[in-house]
Amino acid sequence: MNTAYIILIPLVPLAIFLLLGINYKKIKPAISGYIGVFGLSLSTILSFYAAYQYFFISEKIDGAFQTFVKKTVWLNFTETLHIDVGILIDPISILMLIIVSTVSLMVHIYSRGYMKGDEGYTKFFAFLSLFSFSMYGLVLATNLFQIYIFWELVGVSSYLLIGYYYKKPSAIAAAKKAFIVTRFADLGFLIGILVMSYYTGTFDFETLNNPEGSAILNWASTSFMGLSAITWALILIFMGGAGKSAMLPFHIWLPDAMEGPTPVSALIHAATMVVAGVYLVARLFPMYYFVENGFVLNIVAYVGAISALFAAIIAITQTDIKRVLAFSTMSQIGYMMLALGVSGYDGHHGVGYMASMFHLFTHAMFKALLFLGAGSVIHAVHSNYLKDMGGLRKYMPITNITFLIAALAIAGIPPFSGFFSKDEILLAAFQHNKPIYYIGVFVAGLTAFYIFKIYFGMFWGKDKVYGHTPKESPLSMTLPLLFLALVSIFGGFIPFSKFISPDKVGFESHLNYTLAAIAVAVGLTGIVLAWIFYKKENSLSDRYASAFGPLYKWASDKFYFDEIYLFITKKILFKRVSSPVAKFDKKYVDGTMEGIGNKTVLLSKSIKGMQSGKFQDYGFSFVMGAVIVALVFIYLWTN
């Protein structure tokens, strides 16, 4: 397979970023929008062409899809340890190219209408292109260090986009919060990379993931606190993934990230930043599976399951539609993580891995549709809150239908795409870990309830009297909605198991009709409850909220994680640790150095007359010096 053209996929958005970023004051907004869309269209065409070449033209070896690597050495440390830069082509990198390209292109097209009239229009498209370049580089990385470089670039890009409305204090705070919280997780990631490279002698994914290679076969060579050093490295690397994917306890940045423009929310929460953690675990899956008999995978599974349940409970209580979707994203990413955690490796045993990647694909499409649909509503009513909405189906028929399709998909109702991917996740959980399966089923019901809560609240509910008549969004915004709706309807029929599996061989997957029926019944129950509570204006929701009392209050306030972190940082770390250390540093460390400096200044003042610059002073000193030396010699000679 010829892979030379694939390098153009990330380079095109990089060129667009440089062009628009350097000339953002010179290029007219309308032209910059077309330039951004053109660049992503080109990358998307190349991505789909690469997928076609890889899956349908390139030959398999021993029934497995090949891995193509094109790289060059960048930094050389030892004969085996070096940092390469290049591209790695295998089933999941091709899948991610398709996902990133499709959603990013839809967001670019949508943004032409949504951001129209914004004073930073050209700069916004420059930032979008930078974000796309960062994600392309991340998914094509050939080694841990290269993926870390683009990992951090994704963080910088998200900072720029979340804080795009830089005149708005809440947006600035949200951007800083996302950047700082993910820095803590990324510190773990970096330490994990260094530990991994020290004990395996390589950063390279091919070498690390080889089941018969030394990295996996010799995982037990060194231990620390009851676990192998490589196991600790994998835990730390997963810490980085948990931060990017907003898993507990690094989730607090996610709802605040809604301060960015809605297209940014769609891009970050559907196909880029938050799925990077899932992709990282999938990229190193052979190591996670074989090292320490999958010990770290159990951690991944439980973190994913608990995060999914935690976020779904909070989502029920939120009234800001973008925050509901943000917690929904956290919950669905939890599904993907738990699927990886319960997966096997060979053949059908790898159904969890396949289901995770399948759900990553379907979720990218219907979640982007949900966010863009929410953006269409916000664009019409100029509010994020359900209290300001109602009866919008009369004014926005396209947004109504497409949002309904996305809601049915995330609720897992057949034949929409989410049904097929979620069913495979629940099947994998049922086969390997029953408690996680039960959590997954319960979360499916919660998901259906909260997503139809906001659907009925926006498009049905009370007949709201608006100050100005809402109207359907322009074609540049509705066209991406229609496209993503089609993918959300038919995407589930793709035979994913033939293309994506841990061993790259593929397998035949089949629906488990009993488990599927249970999941659908639970989902329908959630929809019916949402219908009863929110289809028409009533006081049921308020009465039940009061009935749950403190539990509802805790969930509404996100279980006070933000307050706990602020207490720990401000009252303990800053006041009890940092403040005494700062005082000691200022009084003793700085005082000592300043004292030395002050004494030196005083000494210099007392002797500075010796360097007066006057010839007579220097002559006098010379004569006196000669006399003293002569006297010393005379004394020594006579004695």
Side-chain angles (χ1 to χ4, degrees):
M1 176 181 171
N2 178 22
T3 60
Y5 63 90
I6 293 177
I7 193 65
L8 294 174
I9 296 173
L11 289 182
V12 169
L14 175 61
I16 298 298
F17 162 68
L18 294 174
L19 175 64
L20 297 181
I22 295 171
N23 301 289
Y24 78 96
K25 289 185 177 180
K26 300 177 183 178
I27 300 175
K28 293 181 179 180
I31 297 174
S32 64
Y34 282 114
I35 292 173
V37 171
F38 172 77
L40 258 295
S41 299
L42 185 56
S43 291
T44 303
I45 291 169
L46 291 174
S47 297
F48 275 88
Y49 179 71
Y52 171 73
Q53 287 285 321
Y54 183 80
F55 286 121
F56 300 106
I57 303 300
S58 178
E59 294 183 359
K60 294 182 178 181
I61 297 179
D62 296 328
F65 286 106
Q66 298 183 57
T67 297
F68 298 95
V69 178
K70 189 175 183 179
K71 61 186 178 181
T72 184
V73 176
W74 178 34
L75 295 174
N76 214 338
F77 299 111
T78 68
E79 290 184 2
T80 56
L81 185 60
H82 45 80
I83 299 176
D84 303 328
V85 289
I87 57 173
L88 185 153
I89 303 300
D90 70 349
I92 60 170
S93 63
I94 288 290
L95 170 66
M96 289 300 294
L97 284 179
I98 293 296
I99 294 171
V100 173
S101 295
T102 303
V103 175
S104 186
L105 177 60
M106 293 301 107
V107 168
H108 273 71
I109 295 171
Y110 182 93
S111 297
R112 288 190 60 251
Y114 189 90
M115 300 299 292
K116 187 176 181 180
D118 188 271
E119 60 181 352
Y121 188 91
T122 300
K123 186 167 60 176
F124 179 78
F125 275 91
F127 291 164
L128 285 183
S129 295
L130 176 63
F131 205 117
S132 301
F133 163 70
S134 306
M135 275 306 298
Y136 282 136
L138 190 153
V139 302
L140 291 172
T142 64
N143 60 78
L144 278 170
F145 221 95
Q146 185 182 348
I147 204 172
Y148 184 77
I149 292 169
F150 285 100
W151 191 272
E152 294 305 317
L153 195 53
V154 165
V156 172
S157 306
S158 68
Y159 174 82
L160 294 172
L161 287 169
I162 294 169
Y164 175 76
Y165 294 126
Y166 61 90
K167 295 180 181 179
K168 189 178 175 185
S170 58
I172 298 169
K176 290 192 291 186
K177 188 176 183 180
F179 193 76
I180 292 169
V181 171
T182 53
R183 290 294 69 70
F184 282 99
D186 291 353
L187 174 62
F189 186 13
L190 179 59
I191 296 171
I193 291 172
L194 297 176
V195 172
M196 181 71 75
S197 63
Y198 181 81
Y199 286 102
T200 63
T202 184
F203 296 111
D204 190 73
F205 286 135
E206 275 194 299
T207 306
L208 291 172
N209 286 330
N210 183 1
E212 298 176 359
S214 60
I216 289 178
L217 294 179
N218 299 325
W219 62 264
S221 58
T222 307
S223 63
F224 174 71
M225 294 180 63
L227 296 173
S228 73
I230 292 180
T231 302
W232 282 110
L234 289 171
I235 291 172
L236 289 167
I237 289 171
F238 172 63
M239 179 179 169
K244 269 296 189 281
S245 292
M247 296 289 95
L248 279 169
F250 300 107
H251 65 284
I252 59 170
W253 66 268
L254 190 69
D256 296 84
M258 298 298 100
E259 292 292 340
T262 301
V264 171
S265 303
L267 192 61
I268 290 177
H269 291 82
T272 54
M273 186 170 174
V274 291
V275 298
V278 178
Y279 177 76
L280 180 64
V281 176
R283 172 53 69 206
L284 287 170
F285 185 79
M287 292 209 78
Y288 278 101
Y289 180 76
F290 288 108
V291 172
E292 204 98 33
N293 299 315
F295 175 84
V296 186
L297 274 187
N298 286 322
I299 297 175
V300 173
Y302 280 102
V303 168
I306 294 169
S307 297
L309 177 60
F310 174 85
I313 291 171
I314 294 176
I316 290 173
T317 65
Q318 301 300 300
T319 57
D320 181 330
I321 60 174
K322 286 177 68 176
R323 287 179 182 261
V324 173
L325 295 178
F327 282 107
S328 169
T329 296
M330 177 182 170
S331 183
Q332 297 302 304
I333 298 293
Y335 260 124
M336 299 173 207
M337 287 292 193
L338 77 84
L340 287 170
V342 299
S343 180
Y345 186 78
D346 297 310
H348 196 273
H349 295 293
V351 66
Y353 177 95
M354 182 278 295
S356 178
M357 295 294 100
F358 193 8
H359 198 59
L360 194 157
F361 170 78
T362 59
H363 173 264
M365 302 306 159
F366 61 65
K367 183 54 63 67
L369 178 54
L370 287 169
F371 268 112
L372 296 182
S376 181
V377 170
I378 294 167
H379 190 261
V381 302
H382 307 292
S383 173
N384 292 16
Y385 293 93
L386 287 172
K387 64 183 177 61
D388 300 319
M389 303 172 188
L392 287 171
R393 70 188 185 283
K394 304 171 186 176
Y395 309 102
M396 310 178 73
I398 297 175
T399 303
N400 171 37
I401 294 298
T402 53
F403 196 95
L404 175 60
I405 290 169
L408 290 167
I410 196 174
I413 305 302
F416 300 95
S417 60
F419 161 75
F420 295 95
S421 57
K422 190 175 289 186
D423 180 73
E424 298 286 6
I425 290 174
L426 295 175
L427 172 62
F430 182 80
Q431 292 174 342
H432 293 89
N433 192 314
K434 293 294 194 300
I436 286 181
Y437 165 75
Y438 295 129
I439 291 174
V441 171
F442 182 55
V443 171
L446 296 179
T447 302
F449 178 79
Y450 69 64
I451 204 65
F452 273 89
K453 167 190 171 179
I454 64 172
Y455 170 72
F456 290 131
M458 289 190 297
F459 298 104
W460 295 80
K462 59 188 176 187
D463 286 324
K464 176 81 174 172
V465 178
Y466 296 96
H468 64 282
T469 304
K471 60 181 181 179
E472 187 60 89
S473 298
L475 185 63
S476 60
M477 294 172 65
T478 54
L479 190 62
L481 298 181
L482 292 168
F483 176 83
L484 291 169
L486 287 174
V487 181
S488 298
I489 294 171
F490 299 108
F493 295 100
I494 299 172
F496 241 72
S497 61
K498 292 183 178 180
F499 304 111
I500 307 292
S501 65
D503 57 5
K504 299 185 177 71
V505 174
F507 58 92
E508 289 285 342
S509 65
H510 303 283
L511 278 176
N512 183 309
Y513 290 101
T514 303
L515 296 181
I518 293 171
V520 172
V522 170
L524 289 173
T525 302
I527 294 173
V528 170
L529 287 174
W531 175 289
I532 295 169
F533 277 77
Y534 301 105
K535 172 71 162 50
K536 293 181 179 179
E537 189 176 10
N538 58 63
S539 61
L540 269 178
S541 59
D542 293 332
R543 295 211 307 265
Y544 273 86
S546 300
F548 279 100
L551 179 60
Y552 184 90
K553 173 68 174 169
W554 293 347
S556 178
D557 290 328
K558 297 165 282 187
F559 293 99
Y560 300 102
F561 264 83
D562 286 275
E563 289 77 6
I564 291 170
Y565 284 167
L566 282 173
F567 175 80
I568 292 172
T569 52
K570 286 189 173 182
K571 300 295 184 182
I572 298 177
L573 293 179
F574 291 170
K575 190 174 181 179
R576 303 297 180 190
V577 179
S578 299
S579 182
V581 170
K583 288 179 181 177
F584 176 84
D585 179 68
K586 187 171 182 63
K587 185 173 182 179
Y588 295 104
V589 178
D590 287 358
T592 300
M593 302 312 295
E594 287 172 2
I596 294 171
N598 291 335
K599 295 301 181 184
T600 303
V601 170
L602 290 174
L603 178 62
S604 67
K605 283 182 178 179
S606 65
I607 64 173
K608 70 179 181 179
M610 297 173 63
Q611 297 288 333
S612 65
K614 296 178 180 178
F615 181 77
Q616 60 270 32
D617 290 344
Y618 295 155
F620 176 76
S621 298
F622 176 77
V623 172
M624 289 303 297
V627 170
I628 292 170
V629 170
L631 290 173
V632 170
F633 271 100
I634 291 170
Y635 175 79
L636 293 174
W637 180 265
T638 57
N639 290 283

